[in-house]
Amino acid sequence: MATTSRNARGPRLGTQFRGKLAAAYGQRGVGPNSLWYVYSPRGQSDWVLRSDLEWDHFVLTESDPTIMSCSYEPAKQSLSLNGQMLEIPVDAIITYSDGSVEWRQVRFAGGERDEQSPATRQLNERIAAARYAGVAYKLWTEESIRRNAIRLANWRRAIAWMAAARDRSLAAYQDELRHALRSKSSLTLGQIESMFGEASFGLYAAAAFGELQRGIYVSNLDEMPLSLHTVIQLR
């Protein structure tokens, strides 16, 4: 059975929390938006998100195995289009496994629903300017982010498990899981608990979710609620 030790700690989390939270609070504006202080298992880093919709987008992004890395730092990109400078709001920068880059704006849908509206023309200008710069630009709205409620609910829990193991090295647990899965077509989380014991089950589960993030495994987390019956198998 795998054993592990705690990694050396960097700067104190309390200090990091206060600095990031203060900066995000100043950027939040005057609306009733929530602030979320989150840990990204993919990037092994902490972020402050400025709304519930950004939180759901974060969960969806962390669950996507086609993504290699992501930054949730809000910024404005200045690009030129037809001799005019455009300020393009970016809430997340996504790098996919194939090397392509996508700038995302995350917000509730507005006038973009009307193809002739000024909002749609502005969005199309941003898309064109970004394409000229070699990246994709996409508006992510509540419709696309919240399309699969089961996936979001499951990955909120999966991210929480991975965050709880953030100061552990999971390499040995991942190796044991891969070995077990090579000898079986699939395993449920319940079977993993039976094989490795209840005491260390949380670390094996966190290791499994990390491999799902990277596309090493596949599961039924898009279709069924997370439980001991959740199926894990090699891709």
Side-chain angles (χ1 to χ4, degrees):
M1 181 176 294
T3 59
T4 186
S5 60
R6 294 180 182 273
N7 294 330
R9 295 181 181 273
R12 293 178 59 187
L13 289 179
T15 302
Q16 296 176 356
F17 176 86
R18 286 191 295 271
K20 290 187 176 183
L21 200 60
Y25 188 83
Q27 296 169 349
R28 185 180 59 161
V30 297
N33 289 327
S34 303
L35 288 179
W36 291 85
Y37 190 77
V38 300
Y39 171 71
S40 165
R42 187 188 303 281
Q44 299 182 2
S45 54
D46 299 285
W47 302 93
V48 178
L49 310 175
R50 299 164 298 166
S51 69
D52 293 344
L53 189 62
E54 284 194 17
W55 158 241
D56 285 341
H57 169 264
F58 165 82
V59 173
L60 185 65
T61 302
E62 290 291 310
S63 74
D64 188 343
T66 69
I67 291 174
M68 182 174 65
S69 65
C70 42
S71 168
Y72 303 99
E73 186 74 32
K76 285 192 176 181
Q77 303 289 342
S78 297
L79 295 177
S80 176
L81 180 67
N82 299 326
Q84 179 183 359
M85 291 301 298
L86 300 179
E87 292 288 326
I88 300 180
V90 176
D91 295 308
I93 298 177
I94 308 300
T95 303
Y96 289 95
S97 300
D98 63 4
S100 61
V101 176
E102 182 176 283
W103 294 347
R104 294 181 177 179
Q105 184 184 20
V106 179
R107 65 176 177 81
F108 288 94
E112 296 85 6
R113 297 181 186 276
D114 179 359
E115 293 185 359
Q116 304 302 320
S117 70
T120 299
R121 289 196 295 272
Q122 182 184 61
L123 176 61
N124 289 336
E125 287 177 349
R126 291 171 176 174
I127 291 171
R131 186 185 301 116
Y132 187 76
V135 300
Y137 185 77
K138 187 173 180 180
L139 174 64
W140 283 69
T141 67
E142 73 279 12
E143 183 178 357
S144 55
I145 292 170
R146 294 173 172 166
R147 182 174 292 128
N148 188 334
I150 290 178
R151 178 176 178 174
L152 289 176
N154 287 341
W155 277 95
R156 290 185 193 109
R157 295 175 62 193
I159 290 168
W161 272 8
M162 288 187 282
R166 63 180 292 171
D167 60 348
R168 302 278 186 171
S169 172
L170 299 178
Y173 299 90
Q174 292 165 347
D175 288 344
E176 287 195 18
L177 279 175
R178 290 178 191 175
H179 179 75
L181 283 166
R182 289 191 185 102
S183 63
K184 299 178 179 292
S185 59
S186 65
L187 289 171
T188 66
L189 289 181
Q191 289 172 320
I192 292 173
E193 183 182 37
S194 297
M195 291 174 65
F196 299 110
E198 183 179 354
S200 56
F201 170 63
L203 294 173
Y204 283 97
F209 294 138
E211 299 287 65
L212 284 169
Q213 269 192 317
R214 290 183 284 275
I216 306 298
Y217 301 160
V218 293
S219 77
N220 57 349
L221 287 178
D222 284 4
E223 298 86 26
M224 300 293 294
L226 177 61
S227 72
L228 291 178
H229 300 291
T230 295
V231 176
I232 305 291
Q233 62 188 76
L234 287 169
R235 182 175 292 277

Short mmCIF file of all heavy atoms in Angstrom, two decimals, residues 132-183:
data_model
loop_
_atom_site.label_atom_id
_atom_site.label_comp_id
_atom_site.label_asym_id
_atom_site.label_seq_id
_atom_site.Cartn_x
_atom_site.Cartn_y
_atom_site.Cartn_z
N TYR A 132 -6.63 37.04 -35.20
CA TYR A 132 -5.47 37.65 -35.87
C TYR A 132 -4.22 37.53 -35.01
O TYR A 132 -3.10 37.43 -35.52
CB TYR A 132 -5.78 39.12 -36.18
CG TYR A 132 -4.72 39.79 -37.03
CD1 TYR A 132 -4.65 39.55 -38.40
CD2 TYR A 132 -3.81 40.67 -36.46
CE1 TYR A 132 -3.68 40.16 -39.18
CE2 TYR A 132 -2.84 41.30 -37.23
CZ TYR A 132 -2.79 41.03 -38.59
OH TYR A 132 -1.81 41.64 -39.36
N ALA A 133 -4.41 37.53 -33.68
CA ALA A 133 -3.29 37.40 -32.75
C ALA A 133 -2.91 35.94 -32.50
O ALA A 133 -1.97 35.66 -31.73
CB ALA A 133 -3.62 38.07 -31.43
N GLY A 134 -3.65 35.01 -33.10
CA GLY A 134 -3.30 33.60 -32.99
C GLY A 134 -3.97 32.85 -31.85
O GLY A 134 -3.55 31.74 -31.52
N VAL A 135 -5.01 33.43 -31.27
CA VAL A 135 -5.74 32.75 -30.20
C VAL A 135 -7.23 32.79 -30.51
O VAL A 135 -7.70 33.58 -31.35
CB VAL A 135 -5.49 33.39 -28.82
CG1 VAL A 135 -4.01 33.35 -28.47
CG2 VAL A 135 -6.01 34.82 -28.78
N ALA A 136 -7.98 31.92 -29.84
CA ALA A 136 -9.44 31.94 -29.95
C ALA A 136 -10.01 32.78 -28.81
O ALA A 136 -9.42 32.86 -27.73
CB ALA A 136 -9.99 30.53 -29.89
N TYR A 137 -11.13 33.44 -29.08
CA TYR A 137 -11.83 34.20 -28.04
C TYR A 137 -13.26 33.69 -27.98
O TYR A 137 -13.93 33.56 -29.01
CB TYR A 137 -11.82 35.69 -28.35
CG TYR A 137 -12.43 36.55 -27.25
CD1 TYR A 137 -11.72 36.83 -26.09
CD2 TYR A 137 -13.72 37.06 -27.38
CE1 TYR A 137 -12.27 37.60 -25.08
CE2 TYR A 137 -14.28 37.84 -26.37
CZ TYR A 137 -13.55 38.11 -25.23
OH TYR A 137 -14.10 38.88 -24.23
N LYS A 138 -13.71 33.39 -26.77
CA LYS A 138 -15.05 32.81 -26.64
C LYS A 138 -15.76 33.37 -25.42
O LYS A 138 -15.16 33.52 -24.35
CB LYS A 138 -14.97 31.28 -26.54
CG LYS A 138 -16.32 30.58 -26.57
CD LYS A 138 -16.17 29.08 -26.63
CE LYS A 138 -17.53 28.39 -26.66
NZ LYS A 138 -17.39 26.91 -26.73
N LEU A 139 -17.04 33.68 -25.60
CA LEU A 139 -17.89 34.09 -24.49
C LEU A 139 -18.55 32.84 -23.91
O LEU A 139 -19.25 32.11 -24.60
CB LEU A 139 -18.96 35.07 -24.99
CG LEU A 139 -20.03 35.48 -23.97
CD1 LEU A 139 -19.40 36.24 -22.81
CD2 LEU A 139 -21.11 36.33 -24.65
N TRP A 140 -18.30 32.61 -22.61
CA TRP A 140 -18.92 31.49 -21.92
C TRP A 140 -20.03 32.03 -21.03
O TRP A 140 -19.79 32.82 -20.12
CB TRP A 140 -17.87 30.74 -21.08
CG TRP A 140 -16.99 29.86 -21.92
CD1 TRP A 140 -16.05 30.26 -22.82
CD2 TRP A 140 -16.99 28.44 -21.95
NE1 TRP A 140 -15.45 29.18 -23.41
CE2 TRP A 140 -16.00 28.05 -22.90
CE3 TRP A 140 -17.69 27.45 -21.28
CZ2 TRP A 140 -15.73 26.71 -23.18
CZ3 TRP A 140 -17.43 26.12 -21.55
CH2 TRP A 140 -16.45 25.76 -22.49
N THR A 141 -21.25 31.61 -21.30
CA THR A 141 -22.42 32.09 -20.57
C THR A 141 -22.98 30.98 -19.69
O THR A 141 -22.52 29.83 -19.73
CB THR A 141 -23.51 32.56 -21.54
OG1 THR A 141 -24.02 31.42 -22.26
CG2 THR A 141 -22.96 33.58 -22.52
N GLU A 142 -23.99 31.33 -18.90
CA GLU A 142 -24.59 30.34 -18.01
C GLU A 142 -25.16 29.15 -18.78
O GLU A 142 -25.20 28.02 -18.28
CB GLU A 142 -25.67 30.98 -17.13
CG GLU A 142 -26.97 31.35 -17.82
CD GLU A 142 -26.93 32.68 -18.58
OE1 GLU A 142 -25.83 33.23 -18.78
OE2 GLU A 142 -28.00 33.15 -18.97
N GLU A 143 -25.60 29.39 -20.02
CA GLU A 143 -26.19 28.31 -20.80
C GLU A 143 -25.17 27.22 -21.11
O GLU A 143 -25.46 26.02 -20.97
CB GLU A 143 -26.78 28.86 -22.10
CG GLU A 143 -27.47 27.81 -22.96
CD GLU A 143 -28.08 28.40 -24.21
OE1 GLU A 143 -28.01 29.63 -24.39
OE2 GLU A 143 -28.61 27.62 -25.01
N SER A 144 -23.98 27.60 -21.51
CA SER A 144 -22.95 26.61 -21.83
C SER A 144 -22.28 26.05 -20.58
O SER A 144 -21.92 24.87 -20.54
CB SER A 144 -21.90 27.22 -22.75
OG SER A 144 -21.35 28.40 -22.19
N ILE A 145 -22.14 26.87 -19.54
CA ILE A 145 -21.44 26.43 -18.34
C ILE A 145 -22.30 25.47 -17.51
O ILE A 145 -21.81 24.46 -16.99
CB ILE A 145 -21.05 27.65 -17.49
CG1 ILE A 145 -19.97 28.48 -18.21
CG2 ILE A 145 -20.55 27.22 -16.11
CD1 ILE A 145 -19.69 29.82 -17.56
N ARG A 146 -23.59 25.75 -17.42
CA ARG A 146 -24.47 24.98 -16.53
C ARG A 146 -25.33 23.97 -17.27
O ARG A 146 -26.35 23.53 -16.75
CB ARG A 146 -25.33 25.95 -15.72
CG ARG A 146 -24.51 26.79 -14.75
CD ARG A 146 -25.31 27.87 -14.07
NE ARG A 146 -24.51 28.52 -13.02
CZ ARG A 146 -24.85 29.67 -12.43
NH1 ARG A 146 -25.97 30.30 -12.79
NH2 ARG A 146 -24.06 30.18 -11.50
N ARG A 147 -24.87 23.56 -18.43
CA ARG A 147 -25.65 22.63 -19.25
C ARG A 147 -25.79 21.26 -18.58
O ARG A 147 -26.82 20.60 -18.71
CB ARG A 147 -24.99 22.49 -20.62
CG ARG A 147 -25.75 21.59 -21.59
CD ARG A 147 -25.13 21.62 -22.96
NE ARG A 147 -25.31 22.93 -23.58
CZ ARG A 147 -24.32 23.65 -24.10
NH1 ARG A 147 -23.08 23.20 -24.07
NH2 ARG A 147 -24.57 24.82 -24.66
N ASN A 148 -24.74 20.80 -17.88
CA ASN A 148 -24.75 19.47 -17.27
C ASN A 148 -24.61 19.62 -15.76
O ASN A 148 -23.50 19.70 -15.23
CB ASN A 148 -23.62 18.62 -17.85
CG ASN A 148 -23.70 17.16 -17.41
OD1 ASN A 148 -24.25 16.85 -16.36
ND2 ASN A 148 -23.15 16.26 -18.21
N ALA A 149 -25.73 19.63 -15.06
CA ALA A 149 -25.72 19.86 -13.62
C ALA A 149 -25.06 18.70 -12.87
O ALA A 149 -24.41 18.91 -11.83
CB ALA A 149 -27.15 20.06 -13.11
N ILE A 150 -25.21 17.48 -13.37
CA ILE A 150 -24.60 16.32 -12.70
C ILE A 150 -23.09 16.42 -12.75
O ILE A 150 -22.40 16.17 -11.75
CB ILE A 150 -25.09 15.01 -13.36
CG1 ILE A 150 -26.56 14.76 -13.03
CG2 ILE A 150 -24.25 13.82 -12.90
CD1 ILE A 150 -27.14 13.53 -13.69
N ARG A 151 -22.55 16.78 -13.91
CA ARG A 151 -21.10 16.93 -14.02
C ARG A 151 -20.56 17.98 -13.05
O ARG A 151 -19.55 17.75 -12.37
CB ARG A 151 -20.74 17.31 -15.47
CG ARG A 151 -19.26 17.54 -15.71
CD ARG A 151 -19.00 17.80 -17.18
NE ARG A 151 -17.59 18.06 -17.45
CZ ARG A 151 -17.09 18.22 -18.69
NH1 ARG A 151 -17.89 18.11 -19.74
NH2 ARG A 151 -15.80 18.46 -18.84
N LEU A 152 -21.23 19.11 -12.97
CA LEU A 152 -20.79 20.16 -12.05
C LEU A 152 -20.85 19.69 -10.60
O LEU A 152 -19.90 19.90 -9.82
CB LEU A 152 -21.64 21.41 -12.23
CG LEU A 152 -21.43 22.21 -13.52
CD1 LEU A 152 -22.43 23.38 -13.58
CD2 LEU A 152 -20.01 22.75 -13.61
N ALA A 153 -21.95 19.06 -10.22
CA ALA A 153 -22.09 18.60 -8.84
C ALA A 153 -21.00 17.57 -8.49
O ALA A 153 -20.42 17.62 -7.40
CB ALA A 153 -23.48 18.00 -8.63
N ASN A 154 -20.74 16.65 -9.41
CA ASN A 154 -19.73 15.62 -9.15
C ASN A 154 -18.34 16.20 -9.02
O ASN A 154 -17.56 15.84 -8.13
CB ASN A 154 -19.75 14.58 -10.28
CG ASN A 154 -20.96 13.67 -10.22
OD1 ASN A 154 -21.61 13.55 -9.19
ND2 ASN A 154 -21.27 13.03 -11.33
N TRP A 155 -18.01 17.14 -9.90
CA TRP A 155 -16.65 17.67 -9.89
C TRP A 155 -16.43 18.68 -8.77
O TRP A 155 -15.30 18.90 -8.35
CB TRP A 155 -16.28 18.24 -11.26
CG TRP A 155 -15.82 17.13 -12.15
CD1 TRP A 155 -16.55 16.41 -13.06
CD2 TRP A 155 -14.49 16.58 -12.18
NE1 TRP A 155 -15.78 15.45 -13.65
CE2 TRP A 155 -14.51 15.53 -13.14
CE3 TRP A 155 -13.31 16.85 -11.51
CZ2 TRP A 155 -13.37 14.76 -13.43
CZ3 TRP A 155 -12.18 16.11 -11.79
CH2 TRP A 155 -12.23 15.08 -12.73
N ARG A 156 -17.48 19.30 -8.25
CA ARG A 156 -17.32 20.09 -7.02
C ARG A 156 -16.79 19.19 -5.91
O ARG A 156 -15.89 19.57 -5.15
CB ARG A 156 -18.64 20.73 -6.61
CG ARG A 156 -19.12 21.85 -7.53
CD ARG A 156 -20.38 22.51 -6.97
NE ARG A 156 -21.00 23.36 -7.97
CZ ARG A 156 -22.15 23.08 -8.59
NH1 ARG A 156 -22.82 21.97 -8.26
NH2 ARG A 156 -22.65 23.89 -9.50
N ARG A 157 -17.35 18.00 -5.79
CA ARG A 157 -16.91 17.06 -4.75
C ARG A 157 -15.52 16.52 -5.07
O ARG A 157 -14.68 16.37 -4.16
CB ARG A 157 -17.93 15.92 -4.64
CG ARG A 157 -19.31 16.36 -4.15
CD ARG A 157 -20.29 15.22 -4.17
NE ARG A 157 -19.86 14.14 -3.27
CZ ARG A 157 -20.40 12.93 -3.28
NH1 ARG A 157 -21.38 12.63 -4.14
NH2 ARG A 157 -19.97 12.00 -2.45
N ALA A 158 -15.27 16.20 -6.33
CA ALA A 158 -13.95 15.67 -6.71
C ALA A 158 -12.85 16.69 -6.43
O ALA A 158 -11.78 16.34 -5.91
CB ALA A 158 -13.96 15.27 -8.19
N ILE A 159 -13.10 17.95 -6.77
CA ILE A 159 -12.11 19.00 -6.51
C ILE A 159 -11.88 19.16 -5.01
O ILE A 159 -10.74 19.37 -4.57
CB ILE A 159 -12.58 20.33 -7.15
CG1 ILE A 159 -12.50 20.23 -8.68
CG2 ILE A 159 -11.74 21.51 -6.65
CD1 ILE A 159 -13.19 21.37 -9.41
N ALA A 160 -12.93 19.04 -4.22
CA ALA A 160 -12.77 19.13 -2.77
C ALA A 160 -11.86 18.02 -2.24
O ALA A 160 -11.02 18.24 -1.37
CB ALA A 160 -14.14 19.08 -2.08
N TRP A 161 -12.02 16.81 -2.77
CA TRP A 161 -11.16 15.70 -2.35
C TRP A 161 -9.71 15.95 -2.77
O TRP A 161 -8.79 15.69 -2.00
CB TRP A 161 -11.67 14.39 -2.97
CG TRP A 161 -12.69 13.71 -2.11
CD1 TRP A 161 -13.28 14.22 -0.98
CD2 TRP A 161 -13.24 12.41 -2.32
NE1 TRP A 161 -14.17 13.30 -0.48
CE2 TRP A 161 -14.18 12.19 -1.26
CE3 TRP A 161 -13.07 11.43 -3.27
CZ2 TRP A 161 -14.91 11.01 -1.15
CZ3 TRP A 161 -13.81 10.25 -3.16
CH2 TRP A 161 -14.71 10.05 -2.12
N MET A 162 -9.52 16.43 -3.98
CA MET A 162 -8.15 16.71 -4.42
C MET A 162 -7.54 17.85 -3.62
O MET A 162 -6.35 17.83 -3.31
CB MET A 162 -8.14 17.01 -5.92
CG MET A 162 -8.40 15.79 -6.79
SD MET A 162 -8.18 16.11 -8.56
CE MET A 162 -9.72 16.94 -8.93
N ALA A 163 -8.35 18.85 -3.28
CA ALA A 163 -7.83 19.96 -2.49
C ALA A 163 -7.42 19.49 -1.09
O ALA A 163 -6.44 19.98 -0.53
CB ALA A 163 -8.89 21.06 -2.39
N ALA A 164 -8.17 18.55 -0.53
CA ALA A 164 -7.83 18.03 0.79
C ALA A 164 -6.49 17.29 0.77
O ALA A 164 -5.83 17.18 1.81
CB ALA A 164 -8.93 17.09 1.28
N ALA A 165 -6.08 16.80 -0.40
CA ALA A 165 -4.81 16.07 -0.54
C ALA A 165 -3.72 16.93 -1.17
O ALA A 165 -2.71 16.40 -1.64
CB ALA A 165 -5.04 14.81 -1.37
N ARG A 166 -3.90 18.24 -1.15
CA ARG A 166 -3.00 19.12 -1.89
C ARG A 166 -1.57 19.09 -1.39
O ARG A 166 -0.65 19.40 -2.15
CB ARG A 166 -3.52 20.57 -1.86
CG ARG A 166 -3.59 21.19 -0.48
CD ARG A 166 -4.12 22.63 -0.53
NE ARG A 166 -3.18 23.52 -1.18
CZ ARG A 166 -3.44 24.77 -1.52
NH1 ARG A 166 -4.64 25.28 -1.27
NH2 ARG A 166 -2.54 25.52 -2.09
N ASP A 167 -1.36 18.76 -0.13
CA ASP A 167 0.00 18.74 0.41
C ASP A 167 0.57 17.32 0.46
O ASP A 167 1.53 17.06 1.18
CB ASP A 167 0.05 19.38 1.79
CG ASP A 167 -0.85 18.69 2.80
OD1 ASP A 167 -1.68 17.85 2.38
OD2 ASP A 167 -0.72 18.96 4.01
N ARG A 168 -0.01 16.42 -0.30
CA ARG A 168 0.46 15.04 -0.38
C ARG A 168 0.99 14.74 -1.78
O ARG A 168 0.47 15.26 -2.77
CB ARG A 168 -0.67 14.06 -0.07
CG ARG A 168 -1.32 14.26 1.27
CD ARG A 168 -0.51 13.61 2.36
NE ARG A 168 -1.21 13.68 3.64
CZ ARG A 168 -0.81 13.05 4.73
NH1 ARG A 168 0.28 12.31 4.69
NH2 ARG A 168 -1.48 13.18 5.85
N SER A 169 2.00 13.90 -1.85
CA SER A 169 2.43 13.36 -3.14
C SER A 169 1.58 12.14 -3.44
O SER A 169 1.54 11.18 -2.65
CB SER A 169 3.91 12.97 -3.09
OG SER A 169 4.25 12.29 -4.28
N LEU A 170 0.88 12.15 -4.58
CA LEU A 170 -0.04 11.06 -4.91
C LEU A 170 0.54 10.10 -5.94
O LEU A 170 -0.16 9.21 -6.42
CB LEU A 170 -1.36 11.65 -5.44
CG LEU A 170 -2.13 12.54 -4.46
CD1 LEU A 170 -3.39 13.08 -5.13
CD2 LEU A 170 -2.49 11.78 -3.19
N ALA A 171 1.81 10.25 -6.28
CA ALA A 171 2.40 9.43 -7.34
C ALA A 171 2.30 7.94 -7.04
O ALA A 171 1.95 7.14 -7.92
CB ALA A 171 3.86 9.84 -7.55
N ALA A 172 2.60 7.54 -5.81
CA ALA A 172 2.55 6.12 -5.46
C ALA A 172 1.13 5.58 -5.54
O ALA A 172 0.91 4.44 -5.97
CB ALA A 172 3.13 5.91 -4.06
N TYR A 173 0.15 6.38 -5.14
CA TYR A 173 -1.25 5.97 -5.21
C TYR A 173 -1.69 5.83 -6.67
O TYR A 173 -2.43 4.90 -7.02
CB TYR A 173 -2.13 6.98 -4.48
CG TYR A 173 -1.80 7.12 -3.01
CD1 TYR A 173 -0.86 8.06 -2.58
CD2 TYR A 173 -2.39 6.30 -2.05
CE1 TYR A 173 -0.54 8.19 -1.24
CE2 TYR A 173 -2.08 6.42 -0.71
CZ TYR A 173 -1.14 7.37 -0.31
OH TYR A 173 -0.82 7.49 1.02
N GLN A 174 -1.24 6.75 -7.51
CA GLN A 174 -1.57 6.66 -8.93
C GLN A 174 -0.95 5.42 -9.56
O GLN A 174 -1.60 4.74 -10.38
CB GLN A 174 -1.08 7.92 -9.64
CG GLN A 174 -1.85 9.17 -9.25
CD GLN A 174 -1.16 10.46 -9.66
OE1 GLN A 174 0.01 10.45 -10.04
NE2 GLN A 174 -1.87 11.58 -9.56
N ASP A 175 0.28 5.09 -9.19
CA ASP A 175 0.94 3.89 -9.73
C ASP A 175 0.17 2.63 -9.34
O ASP A 175 -0.03 1.73 -10.17
CB ASP A 175 2.37 3.80 -9.22
CG ASP A 175 3.29 4.84 -9.84
OD1 ASP A 175 2.91 5.42 -10.88
OD2 ASP A 175 4.38 5.08 -9.29
N GLU A 176 -0.26 2.54 -8.09
CA GLU A 176 -0.99 1.36 -7.65
C GLU A 176 -2.34 1.25 -8.35
O GLU A 176 -2.77 0.14 -8.70
CB GLU A 176 -1.18 1.40 -6.13
CG GLU A 176 0.10 1.12 -5.35
CD GLU A 176 -0.18 0.80 -3.90
OE1 GLU A 176 -1.33 0.46 -3.56
OE2 GLU A 176 0.76 0.88 -3.10
N LEU A 177 -3.01 2.38 -8.56
CA LEU A 177 -4.29 2.35 -9.26
C LEU A 177 -4.12 1.91 -10.71
O LEU A 177 -4.91 1.09 -11.22
CB LEU A 177 -4.94 3.74 -9.21
CG LEU A 177 -5.69 4.10 -7.94
CD1 LEU A 177 -6.17 5.54 -8.01
CD2 LEU A 177 -6.88 3.17 -7.73
N ARG A 178 -3.10 2.41 -11.38
CA ARG A 178 -2.87 2.00 -12.77
C ARG A 178 -2.59 0.50 -12.86
O ARG A 178 -3.07 -0.18 -13.76
CB ARG A 178 -1.71 2.79 -13.36
CG ARG A 178 -2.01 4.25 -13.61
CD ARG A 178 -0.79 4.98 -14.16
NE ARG A 178 -0.98 6.42 -14.16
CZ ARG A 178 -0.04 7.29 -14.50
NH1 ARG A 178 1.16 6.86 -14.86
NH2 ARG A 178 -0.29 8.59 -14.47
N HIS A 179 -1.79 0.00 -11.93
CA HIS A 179 -1.49 -1.43 -11.91
C HIS A 179 -2.77 -2.24 -11.73
O HIS A 179 -2.97 -3.26 -12.40
CB HIS A 179 -0.48 -1.74 -10.80
CG HIS A 179 -0.14 -3.18 -10.69
ND1 HIS A 179 0.70 -3.82 -11.59
CD2 HIS A 179 -0.54 -4.15 -9.80
CE1 HIS A 179 0.82 -5.09 -11.27
NE2 HIS A 179 0.08 -5.32 -10.18
N ALA A 180 -3.62 -1.81 -10.80
CA ALA A 180 -4.88 -2.51 -10.56
C ALA A 180 -5.79 -2.47 -11.77
O ALA A 180 -6.45 -3.46 -12.12
CB ALA A 180 -5.57 -1.91 -9.34
N LEU A 181 -5.83 -1.32 -12.44
CA LEU A 181 -6.72 -1.17 -13.59
C LEU A 181 -6.22 -1.93 -14.81
O LEU A 181 -7.01 -2.28 -15.69
CB LEU A 181 -6.91 0.31 -13.92
CG LEU A 181 -7.87 1.06 -12.98
CD1 LEU A 181 -7.73 2.56 -13.15
CD2 LEU A 181 -9.31 0.63 -13.26
N ARG A 182 -4.92 -2.18 -14.89
CA ARG A 182 -4.41 -2.96 -16.01
C ARG A 182 -4.83 -4.42 -15.92
O ARG A 182 -4.88 -5.12 -16.94
CB ARG A 182 -2.89 -2.84 -16.08
CG ARG A 182 -2.38 -1.48 -16.54
CD ARG A 182 -0.89 -1.50 -16.85
NE ARG A 182 -0.40 -0.16 -17.18
CZ ARG A 182 0.28 0.61 -16.34
NH1 ARG A 182 0.58 0.15 -15.12
NH2 ARG A 182 0.68 1.81 -16.69
N SER A 183 -5.11 -4.88 -14.72
CA SER A 183 -5.51 -6.27 -14.54
C SER A 183 -7.02 -6.45 -14.54
O SER A 183 -7.52 -7.57 -14.53
CB SER A 183 -4.93 -6.81 -13.22
OG SER A 183 -5.45 -6.10 -12.10
#
